[in-house]
Amino acid sequence: MVAQDEQDLVQRQFEELQRSCTATAGILLPGEEVVSYYPPEMEARAGEFGLAGTNVDGTRWQVGDCDVRFPLHSISKVFTYALALEDHGLDAVLDRVGVEPSGDPFNSITFDEARNRPFNPMINAGALVAANLVRGGSKEERAQRLLERDRLFTGNPGLQIDARVLEEQLVANDRNLGLSYLMRSLGMLHGDIDDNLYVYLAACSIAVTAPELSAMGATLANGGVNPLTGERALPREHLRTVVSVMSMCGMYDAAGEWAHDVGIPAKSGVSGGIMGVLPRWFGLGVYSPGLDRHGNSVRGVAVCRELSRRFGLHVFADPSESRFGRVAQPE
Ligand code: GLN
């Protein structure tokens, strides 16, 4: 276990960071604005802010709104892709969806035309194909398999799909529908479009807390085994594919800037969640609904940037920069 004084120090840093990032003023880069454009129900929750960490040895930290549940939205793409890999193996999945960052927004209608496939599974087009690859006899069974998988990743056997969020998405989903029809006409997607959309959106509607999100990250940091339960959630052979694709494509069209500034493999969703994965070290779960123009949580990005800077968490930083537990105490 992490030593008690180190644990306390990290907890105090989390508290101080959560406080300092609560005022959004001064967080945005010049010219950026806070947009909470989607999903509309998150607008009313814009003040919520939770921050949690789970170490691979099971030590946990949490501060702020860590009891509230929010839908995974795009963070689910990581786990849908993981199950597609498990169901079909890497080669078959690569035939259907690539591993190249597209540099385009999450809902863009662009494809790798040379290979007739979406660029990567972290944007909607690629996630719809990944959902298409999840096995099951019915849409409900496929959604249930994704839910079961997320229960392993979070360590919460009671995890649920938020039925209201799913319903709302199913009725306001023209763009994903259009994208699906186009992909089916191009031979990228097969079978029933509505069923497939149901599976994809059911995964987006799985409701987690910030600590659960950090446990999901910690499971990926811990070689695919949930450090809280000891259960394997992801076969070892797919770990590096999932985490490397996530780290290149997880922050949409801000992925390059994120990799450079923050340097923590991460995936965000439009409900304001960000899951961070520090391989062999710990997982982060941040939740705050105000979004920047890329669809990433404004406070989430700010808090991760500051955590990375203070603790020297950038995965490509010189090891001497790592100051985990050795950062001076906040005033
Ligand atoms: N459910 C959302 C959609 O498909 C997820 C998008 C996101 O989080 N970026 O549009």
Side-chain angles (χ1 to χ4, degrees):
M1 291 294 275
V2 176
Q4 189 60 45
D5 56 343
E6 191 169 316
Q7 261 186 59
D8 295 347
L9 198 55
V10 174
Q11 176 69 25
R12 280 199 295 279
Q13 289 283 332
F14 270 38
E15 285 165 11
E16 195 262 332
L17 269 175
Q18 199 259 3
R19 265 197 311 276
S20 63
C21 292
T22 292
T24 48
I27 286 173
L28 296 172
L29 299 172
E32 281 204 292
E33 72 227 52
V34 181
V35 280
S36 198
Y37 62 93
Y38 178 76
E41 81 271 12
M42 298 313 292
E43 244 177 280
R45 300 173 58 178
E48 293 178 348
F49 188 12
L51 169 61
T54 301
N55 199 295
V56 294
D57 70 4
T59 307
R60 310 195 80 180
W61 297 273
Q62 61 179 66
V63 52
D65 296 312
C66 282
D67 295 328
V68 295
R69 294 199 168 271
F70 55 93
L72 281 174
H73 277 291
S74 272
I75 302 171
S76 67
K77 291 173 168 125
V78 175
F79 307 100
T80 304
Y81 183 51
L83 196 51
L85 285 166
E86 193 174 333
D87 281 355
H88 297 268
L90 179 60
D91 291 343
V93 172
L94 278 177
D95 281 344
R96 299 277 306 274
V97 53
V99 292
E100 286 304 327
S102 68
D104 290 317
F106 66 88
N107 55 6
S108 77
I109 303 183
T110 48
F111 306 109
D112 171 359
E113 288 175 24
R115 298 286 303 267
N116 198 45
R117 58 183 188 180
F119 281 107
N120 70 71
M122 300 296 131
I123 51 173
N124 288 17
L128 286 160
V129 169
N132 205 215
L133 286 162
V134 170
R135 291 193 200 276
S138 63
K139 61 180 182 182
E140 289 84 7
E141 192 185 322
R142 288 159 64 202
Q144 186 65 26
R145 288 190 65 230
L146 284 162
L147 177 62
E148 293 296 345
R149 194 45 57 139
D150 285 359
R151 287 176 173 165
L152 289 178
F153 272 102
T154 55
N156 175 7
L159 205 68
Q160 296 294 345
I161 295 165
D162 185 326
R164 194 181 55 82
V165 172
L166 175 56
E167 203 48 48
E168 279 170 9
Q169 290 191 89
L170 281 167
V171 295
N173 207 31
D174 287 357
R175 196 170 174 100
N176 284 326
L177 260 179
L179 188 55
S180 298
Y181 277 105
L182 180 60
M183 287 198 292
R184 191 169 69 180
S185 79
L186 294 167
M188 294 181 195
L189 205 67
H190 311 307
D192 190 282
I193 297 285
D194 291 323
D195 279 7
N196 196 59
L197 221 38
Y198 176 93
V199 176
Y200 164 74
L201 293 175
C204 288
S205 307
I206 292 171
V208 300
T209 62
E212 285 170 359
L213 194 58
S214 76
M216 296 174 107
T219 300
L220 290 169
N222 192 40
V225 174
N226 185 319
L228 304 172
T229 63
E231 282 190 275
R232 178 165 288 283
L234 177 71
R236 191 176 280 115
E237 67 264 33
H238 299 309
L239 182 74
R240 62 171 84 170
T241 305
V242 171
V243 180
S244 58
V245 170
M246 185 187 92
S247 77
M248 289 181 295
C249 315
M251 299 300 281
Y252 314 126
D253 45 334
E257 191 180 312
W258 174 272
H260 171 264
D261 278 1
V262 183
I264 300 174
K267 182 78 198 88
S268 65
V270 291
S271 44
I274 299 179
M275 174 184 73
V277 178
L278 269 304
R280 291 176 287 280
W281 200 356
F282 69 91
L284 269 178
V286 192
Y287 159 67
S288 188
L291 303 178
D292 65 19
R293 66 194 158 89
H294 304 288
N296 295 326
S297 166
V298 172
R299 288 180 185 141
V301 169
V303 91
C304 289
R305 179 177 286 137
E306 190 55 21
L307 271 173
S308 174
R309 194 186 65 77
R310 286 191 190 186
F311 290 120
L313 299 180
H314 196 297
V315 287
F316 298 122
D318 184 277
S320 65
E321 288 179 43
S322 173
R323 295 180 301 275
F324 198 65
R326 283 185 279 125
V327 185
Q329 261 176 261
E331 295 298 303

